Amino acid sequence: MWWRSASFILDKPDKDDAVSSPESRLITSPPLSMADTLQNPNPNNISAYYQTRAAHHGVVTSDWLAQAQAAAEKEEVTSESSLDSGKAFSVIDEFNNWRKQPDLAEAVAAIRALAKVISSSEATTMMELEIELKTASDSLKAWDTTSISLTAGCDLFMRYVTRTSALEYEDFNSAKSRLLERAEKFGEISYKARRIIAMLSQDFIVDGCTILVHGFSRVVLEVLKAAAESRKLFRVFCTEGRPDRTGLRLSNELAKLDVPVKLLLDSAVAYSMDEIDMVFVGADGVVESGGIINMMGTYQIALVAKSMNKPVYVAAESYKFARLYPLDQKDMVPALRPIDFGVPIPSKVEVETSARDYTPPQYLTLLFTDLGVLTPSVVSDELIQLYL
Amino acid sequence: MDPTRRISRVIDPKIRHVGFFAPQSQPGPSESPVMIPLPDITRAIQVPVGDFYHRRSDYDVVRVGSYDPSDSMSSRNGDGEFSEDSGIWKLPMSLPSNGLDKLAARNFPFGAKKSPHDEKGDSPAQMSMKSVLNPSKEKTTKAERRALQEAQRAAKAAGKVSKAERKMSSAAATGKEASVQIGEVVKNSRQKKDVLMASFEKTIGNRPPEKDRKKDVPPSRMQFDDKSRVDKAKKHSVVKQVEARNRVDYFMHLPQYERGTQHPDLETKFFQLNHIHPAVYKVGLQYLAGDITGGNSRCIAMLKAFQKAIEDYSAPLERTVNRDLIAKINSYVSFLIECRPLSVSMGNAIRFLKAHVTKLPPEITVSEAKASISSNIDRFITEKIVLADRTIVKHAVKKIRDGDVLLTYGSSSVVEMILLQAHELGIRFRVVVVDSRPKLEGQALIRRLVRNGVSCTYTHINAISYIMHEITRVFLGAASVLSNGTVYSRVGTASVAMVAHELRVPVMICCEAYKFHERVQLDSICCNELGDPRAITMVPGEVDIQYLDDSVKNNGLQHLNLLYDATPSDYISVIITDYGMIPASSVPVILREYGGEYLFT
């Protein structure tokens, strides 16, 4: 999978990328709010993944802040206890450190944290190291079960790093250094993935087109940014992305790039679908069937687009490929998040707090990944090749 | 060269059997009777260009294995002439099959019984004779001479089939004389011609197939509307099959036999069938009687029987072990096919077994070979069936939640295991077992489920659209999954899947990966199995309501009792195999990655 990465597409403009990317990161990184200092895998099933997303990309409301702070206090207690049981070095701490960078995907953070596990390991045999790595990745996965990319990233890392001849080296140190080398490379590829996807998808954005974007996705932003940089003329419709209003954030970013943007209510998608030429969404996870799991509302947008014969493109890095097979919307680990309605809700009223939905493959047109531009059915091909 | 030749070229394809059919009524010294070999396709492309080299080389190839007297006879004409002619004769029949051949095949299934009113279906011999008789031609061309000889030889054969052919070939030397003779023969009557045709068949049919060519030919499925092959197969068959009286038109290519006669017949033959091992014989009888059904159990029974047969095997003196074993296995398999057509699962298991046997090193001792084969059969059963089922159950159970209403159709062993396992795990769910006549396999399933305390509903397939509204998951078994994602399963599965798909209920197919097959099938007609036709109208225990029996006898009412159908991949949400849960579009991936080599090592 990884050696077939379409990273060649980066080969030419590699130089100026290296210069521009730190800059862009500087621009995009928001003022670090206090909410992201310590995230919380809350006992009452609040999804840490979506909390992070909201903190990084959302427009933070006071209500949400208060909740997050309350949660953070609780978290400190729990994390301390876990620290005691562990050794001096904790993967989760490492992971959290990496995760604070808003531009770094969760999976990449996990990969870096795991790489750190290898380098700081005191194991003396390969077996020991492998077991150590395994427990580290398991604890990472258990830390947030709702994050698909975290799980998939850990799995992929284990697969990529350990399922090689590296383990057969005679000398432990050379084997270890080889593992580290692979880990570095893996992290690098994962980091580059977004850039590759942006390059691959340029052919699909043509002058004069109107693109509907849902929520805030770093990949999609990268794609649009690349298109704007190559002086393409296009229009973007952003949905609001309730409840954390990630769409507002995206429209903000696009306005900075001088791209014409229009904000829509989440419920105005069908109304404006007529004007739209393509739908561009990111993904939290790409599942075995070729469908995607993404922020709530993606499914209905895909349904509307399908019924109006508009293409739905998904931009997703390959570390989001997961061996899951949801059959319907409820067939997933629930990822919940608080929703601020602005007014108090009577306790008798139930609130649907699920943060994500599943879009079946028949509603998707193409997936832009760092492995290339894939049809949904190829995803399973890649997964089978990777995991079996 | 001249008009006659062109005419014959145009007309020939219509009367020749192309595609699945052996070139029965082919008078030319051209083909083996087996079927059209693969290399011929390339030749068919090359020949029309007029490349003489190719034609000649064809001829050489043909002659090697040819005992047809006409060959030795015609070779006198000189090589150049003959090769050209033979090229023309065989050119049309190696063309790829077109729509016409099916028509021709139906109208003209067998030379001897050729319907006289069929105008298109003139045999090449008749055509050539017509051309000979045509008064407009004075000068005899090469083609005419050739045709003449053909026709003449046939005429002789018709008159005195058993008499010496030496004489005839000497008479053939003088062409003019022969033409007169033939003119008489043809004028005689239509009937004579038919006899003539029969004699052609005989001379050509007797020719043994060329061995090296046979290897290139992909094994084709037996088409039961191809009479000659059926007859040939019958000659070697052990089970006496009587063809059903009112055979269903669309399904003539499938075996349709009278039921109930084979079993007693085969029982009496027990002591005559020395070459069939008793274990295999027993399994065959069980297939025939319908005592063993279901892909897995049939496959396991067959493998166990083979295992026993191989344990009792004693090596011959002069042959190598694996060759002899392959021959043995082949004879067993053909016996089993006669009892009941193979399922895909059995076919794959046989492929596995044969691949293993051929891979045995030649210097291996008999006891070692036996032990190795036996252990491999055991391994196949545990890995591909038992453990695979366990993995499937593990995956499928995850998809059952509290409060689910599951639906299953017929009786699948894996689905049963899934339901029981889920019940054991304490998941609260309800099962709707949908069943259909005439097999009513669901009754046995529901009995076992109820005995284990699963709460069940039983209904017939007629109520499927009503019951589907309350269903949350559909679990189905499969006889085979084909590479385009089509699921080949018990008849009725497609309807269930369609209704479920229409109402957006996920359809989950549970199928072990060893039942996957590279074939692509678009409908349930081209490849299927037919059950006892009487089973449709018969109601067990009720003799006085057999209304339709009279119509069968008097009006030729045809009963179609299909056993399988093909479910299109669109209706399938997920296929659960031992490699995990995959979409139907990923079946070829599994076949590519784990089929072939992986399965058969």
Side-chain angles (χ1 to χ4, degrees):
Chain A
M1 192 167 181
W2 294 99
W3 51 91
R4 298 203 290 111
S5 164
S7 58
F8 58 84
I9 201 151
L10 293 184
D11 287 352
K12 258 186 291 164
D14 208 18
K15 296 284 183 293
D16 42 43
D17 269 355
V19 182
S20 68
S21 59
E23 269 179 8
S24 64
R25 210 189 307 169
L26 271 179
I27 297 165
T28 53
S29 65
L32 286 178
S33 62
M34 47 216 121
D36 66 352
T37 45
L38 274 170
Q39 274 72 32
N40 171 34
N42 211 311
N44 52 4
N45 267 337
I46 298 297
S47 161
Y49 179 74
Y50 287 96
Q51 281 192 359
T52 320
R53 283 189 70 88
H56 285 170
H57 315 304
V59 177
V60 182
T61 61
S62 55
D63 185 25
W64 161 235
L65 254 182
Q67 278 192 21
Q69 264 174 338
E73 277 159 31
K74 252 188 260 167
E75 159 70 9
E76 268 174 294
V77 184
T78 50
S79 64
E80 257 175 69
S81 63
S82 70
L83 263 179
D84 292 337
S85 63
K87 279 184 277 180
F89 171 78
S90 155
V91 219
I92 295 172
D93 284 351
E94 181 70 29
F95 171 64
N96 273 329
N97 279 334
W98 284 111
R99 216 160 60 105
K100 276 179 207 157
Q101 295 189 23
D103 213 29
L104 205 62
E106 207 162 61
V108 182
I111 288 161
R112 299 232 164 130
L114 287 175
K116 197 75 193 287
V117 171
I118 298 179
S119 59
S120 66
S121 163
E122 288 151 13
T124 49
T125 63
M126 269 332 270
M127 206 57 209
E128 236 176 292
L129 182 62
E130 210 182 330
I131 291 167
E132 210 167 292
L133 209 54
K134 184 92 179 65
T135 47
S137 94
D138 282 349
S139 63
L140 257 189
K141 280 194 271 182
W143 185 79
D144 181 8
T145 49
T146 57
S147 169
I148 295 164
S149 64
L150 175 61
T151 315
C154 287
D155 284 349
L156 277 174
F157 180 83
M158 292 300 289
R159 218 55 203 180
Y160 179 71
V161 169
T162 57
R163 194 184 68 165
T164 52
S165 52
L167 295 180
E168 284 148 29
Y169 277 86
E170 287 289 312
D171 178 26
F172 173 71
N173 280 328
S174 67
K176 190 173 164 183
S177 65
R178 176 129 176 85
L179 275 190
L180 262 180
E181 204 177 287
R182 294 203 76 117
E184 292 280 307
K185 197 164 168 234
F186 185 89
E188 202 178 308
I189 294 173
S190 310
Y191 191 70
K192 269 188 189 167
R194 223 174 275 162
R195 213 44 225 151
I196 298 170
I197 293 167
M199 299 300 285
L200 284 173
S201 51
Q202 287 313 300
D203 290 344
F204 292 81
I205 298 175
V206 291
D207 273 342
C209 66
T210 307
I211 304 169
L212 176 71
V213 178
H214 180 59
F216 183 92
S217 155
R218 280 166 296 200
V219 202
V220 172
L221 179 61
E222 187 84 22
V223 169
L224 297 177
K225 209 186 274 174
E229 274 163 15
S230 57
R231 296 178 186 282
K232 283 195 173 132
L233 299 171
F234 60 97
R235 220 159 38 126
V236 179
F237 284 17
C238 284
T239 56
E240 183 195 4
R242 284 268 292 151
D244 38 15
R245 300 190 195 169
T246 46
L248 294 181
R249 166 84 197 290
L250 185 71
S251 61
N252 222 2
E253 296 287 335
L254 289 172
K256 278 185 212 160
L257 296 169
D258 284 338
V259 175
V261 193
K262 192 177 191 179
L263 260 179
L264 307 175
L265 283 179
D266 288 333
S267 44
V269 168
Y271 170 80
S272 38
M273 190 57 82
D274 260 351
E275 304 172 54
I276 287 163
D277 293 312
M278 67 182 85
V279 177
F280 229 113
V281 290
D284 296 340
V286 180
V287 295
E288 179 110 38
S289 62
I292 56 164
I293 293 173
N294 196 25
M295 183 190 157
M296 187 63 90
T298 310
Y299 181 37
Q300 70 190 27
I301 290 176
L303 277 174
V304 171
K306 172 83 179 174
S307 73
M308 299 207 183
N309 288 332
K310 309 284 181 187
V312 179
Y313 299 131
V314 178
E317 302 92 328
S318 60
Y319 55 70
K320 287 175 175 168
F321 286 21
R323 289 218 82 192
L324 294 170
Y325 204 122
L327 292 167
D328 50 35
Q329 301 301 326
K330 305 282 155 57
D331 196 13
M332 295 179 284
V333 180
L336 307 177
R337 63 169 170 202
I339 297 175
D340 171 28
F341 284 96
V343 287
I345 304 288
S347 61
K348 280 179 189 168
V349 176
E350 215 182 324
V351 177
E352 174 65 68
T353 50
S354 178
R356 61 193 184 186
D357 59 17
Y358 164 62
T359 310
Q362 60 262 39
Y363 303 112
L364 306 177
T365 313
L366 285 174
L367 293 150
F368 300 132
T369 73
D370 47 320
L371 308 175
V373 181
L374 313 177
T375 60
S377 57
V378 183
V379 172
S380 149
D381 191 340
E382 297 287 347
L383 279 170
I384 288 171
Q385 281 186 31
L386 192 72
Y387 282 102
L388 288 175
Chain B
M1 197 191 256
D2 58 39
T4 35
R5 179 168 288 186
R6 219 169 297 132
I7 285 166
S8 65
R9 190 182 293 197
V10 169
I11 289 172
D12 276 345
K14 291 183 187 165
I15 53 163
R16 296 241 162 93
H17 292 170
V18 190
F20 288 125
F21 301 95
Q24 291 308 332
S25 52
Q26 164 70 19
S30 49
E31 283 302 318
S32 85
V34 187
M35 61 177 289
I36 295 169
L38 214 53
D40 280 5
I41 295 164
T42 56
R43 194 182 59 197
I45 298 161
Q46 284 163 334
V47 168
V49 182
D51 188 343
F52 277 68
Y53 174 74
H54 276 285
R55 292 182 198 171
R56 287 186 68 158
S57 63
D58 293 343
Y59 172 56
D60 290 342
V61 171
V62 172
R63 254 180 91 187
V64 171
S66 166
Y67 301 128
D68 196 326
S70 70
D71 279 1
S72 55
M73 189 175 83
S74 52
S75 59
R76 272 187 218 161
N77 282 347
D79 274 343
E81 279 175 38
F82 178 73
S83 61
E84 235 181 273
D85 276 346
S86 71
I88 284 154
W89 279 115
K90 83 179 61 164
L91 162 75
M93 54 158 293
S94 39
L95 287 172
S97 64
N98 51 17
L100 274 174
D101 58 20
K102 222 170 186 181
L103 187 105
R106 192 151 282 168
N107 292 339
F108 184 23
F110 200 54
K113 293 199 175 83
K114 184 186 153 302
S115 53
H117 55 267
D118 183 15
E119 277 143 38
K120 285 179 201 163
D122 270 357
S123 79
Q126 286 164 347
M127 282 312 301
S128 60
M129 280 185 280
K130 274 180 196 164
S131 69
V132 168
L133 294 173
N134 196 340
S136 67
K137 270 160 220 94
E138 270 101 77
K139 196 184 157 199
T140 52
T141 61
K142 285 173 198 167
E144 277 170 333
R145 262 179 279 153
R146 169 78 187 130
L148 240 160
Q149 283 171 350
E150 288 291 338
Q152 184 198 22
R153 183 181 57 80
K156 287 266 177 180
K160 31 193 170 175
V161 179
S162 54
K163 290 211 171 166
E165 278 142 358
R166 291 270 165 246
K167 235 186 200 174
M168 183 186 73
S169 61
S170 69
T174 48
K176 303 275 180 193
E177 201 183 315
S179 76
V180 180
Q181 281 179 10
I182 287 156
E184 286 168 347
V185 171
V186 173
K187 275 168 206 158
N188 271 345
S189 68
R190 284 302 267 228
Q191 208 187 359
K192 197 98 185 185
K193 267 186 211 163
D194 290 346
V195 178
L196 231 146
M197 290 306 306
S199 68
F200 277 168
E201 301 270 304
K202 222 168 226 174
T203 46
I204 290 154
N206 289 344
R207 225 182 292 155
E210 288 110 46
K211 281 208 172 147
D212 49 340
R213 274 211 195 173
K214 212 171 172 184
K215 272 179 201 161
D216 301 338
V217 178
S220 70
R221 300 178 62 82
M222 178 99 153
Q223 296 282 318
F224 283 79
D225 47 357
D226 180 4
K227 254 211 152 205
S228 60
R229 284 189 67 199
V230 172
D231 287 347
K232 210 186 294 163
K234 260 193 185 167
K235 247 179 250 166
H236 304 290
S237 70
V238 177
V239 187
K240 209 175 127 202
Q241 305 270 35
V242 183
E243 269 169 22
R245 253 194 324 191
N246 296 329
R247 297 207 285 162
V248 187
D249 284 338
Y250 271 119
F251 294 87
M252 291 291 248
H253 58 288
L254 302 173
Q256 301 187 29
Y257 296 123
E258 287 288 352
R259 298 287 160 146
T261 56
Q262 307 99 326
H263 205 256
D265 177 59
L266 203 57
E267 264 171 3
T268 56
K269 273 193 194 159
F270 178 68
F271 292 105
Q272 296 155 29
L273 297 172
N274 291 328
H275 64 288
I276 307 280
H277 190 274
V280 180
Y281 184 80
K282 182 181 159 198
V283 171
L285 284 182
Q286 283 171 325
Y287 287 167
L288 197 57
D291 290 346
I292 302 181
T293 52
N296 284 344
S297 45
R298 271 173 77 193
C299 185
I300 291 175
M302 180 192 71
L303 285 175
K304 290 279 182 199
F306 283 172
Q307 201 176 18
K308 259 194 209 122
I310 285 165
E311 270 164 21
D312 295 343
Y313 165 79
S314 58
L317 291 174
E318 65 282 348
R319 292 182 88 181
T320 49
V321 178
N322 40 19
R323 285 197 173 221
D324 191 54
L325 266 176
I326 291 281
K328 269 255 166 8
I329 292 170
N330 280 340
S331 74
Y332 296 156
V333 169
S334 62
F335 169 75
L336 291 180
I337 292 176
E338 280 171 37
C339 294
R340 193 182 160 183
L342 292 185
S343 64
V344 171
S345 57
M346 289 160 74
N348 279 346
I350 291 166
R351 264 163 75 188
F352 160 79
L353 185 60
K354 279 191 188 170
H356 179 69
V357 173
T358 40
K359 268 185 201 149
L360 289 175
E363 64 274 6
I364 197 168
T365 65
V366 179
S367 57
E368 276 170 359
K370 279 180 180 176
S372 149
I373 295 168
S374 178
S375 72
N376 258 286
I377 290 177
D378 278 334
R379 196 170 60 97
F380 185 87
I381 293 175
T382 37
E383 275 181 18
K384 299 288 171 206
I385 304 177
V386 178
L387 290 179
D389 280 350
R390 230 173 272 172
T391 322
I392 292 172
V393 169
K394 205 178 75 196
H395 284 298
V397 161
K398 277 189 229 150
K399 293 292 173 200
I400 303 177
R401 292 168 306 189
D402 276 344
D404 264 349
V405 184
L406 313 178
L407 181 140
T408 182
Y409 175 72
S411 167
S412 156
S413 55
V414 194
V415 172
E416 185 183 338
M417 285 157 78
I418 292 166
L419 298 177
L420 291 178
Q421 173 74 20
H423 182 69
E424 223 166 79
L425 290 176
I427 305 170
R428 278 167 298 143
F429 62 97
R430 210 153 60 77
V431 180
V432 176
V433 177
V434 178
D435 208 352
S436 76
R437 292 205 61 238
K439 289 218 165 207
L440 297 177
E441 290 163 313
Q443 292 185 346
L445 172 69
I446 206 157
R447 195 168 300 137
R448 289 190 292 267
L449 289 179
V450 168
R451 198 183 296 147
N452 282 285
V454 183
S455 95
C456 294
T457 308
Y458 180 81
T459 182
H460 273 206
I461 195 168
N462 317 23
I464 188 77
S465 57
Y466 162 75
I467 204 89
M468 194 57 85
H469 288 281
E470 55 184 276
I471 304 297
T472 57
R473 298 266 190 280
V474 175
F475 281 93
L476 298 171
S480 168
V481 178
L482 309 178
S483 69
N484 59 344
T486 302
V487 170
Y488 183 68
S489 189
R490 170 71 58 222
V491 68
T493 306
S495 335
V496 173
M498 185 174 70
V499 174
H501 177 255
E502 194 59 37
L503 296 176
R504 301 285 181 275
V505 181
V507 178
M508 308 165 79
I509 303 287
C510 307
C511 181
E512 301 84 358
Y514 85 103
K515 288 180 183 170
F516 285 17
H517 200 274
E518 304 91 348
R519 201 172 64 212
V520 167
Q521 196 172 322
L522 302 174
D523 56 32
S524 346
I525 297 174
C526 65
C527 179
N528 211 319
E529 195 182 328
L530 296 174
D532 186 359
R534 278 171 54 79
I536 299 184
T537 51
M538 277 217 306
V539 181
E542 304 273 343
V543 192
D544 50 329
I545 56 164
Q546 317 284 350
Y547 304 118
L548 289 174
D549 271 8
D550 288 343
S551 316
V552 174
K553 278 187 200 115
N554 305 327
N555 307 337
L557 178 69
Q558 299 167 339
H559 286 166
L560 178 64
N561 182 11
L562 278 179
L563 289 190
Y564 295 100
D565 66 10
T567 309
S569 58
D570 301 349
Y571 300 155
I572 294 155
S573 317
V574 57
I575 298 175
I576 306 180
T577 76
D578 25 341
Y579 297 110
M581 288 178 281
I582 57 165
S585 58
S586 286
V587 175
V589 180
I590 295 283
L591 281 170
R592 187 186 69 210
E593 301 283 316
Y594 305 102
E597 289 304 302
Y598 182 85
L599 184 62
F600 305 124
T601 45

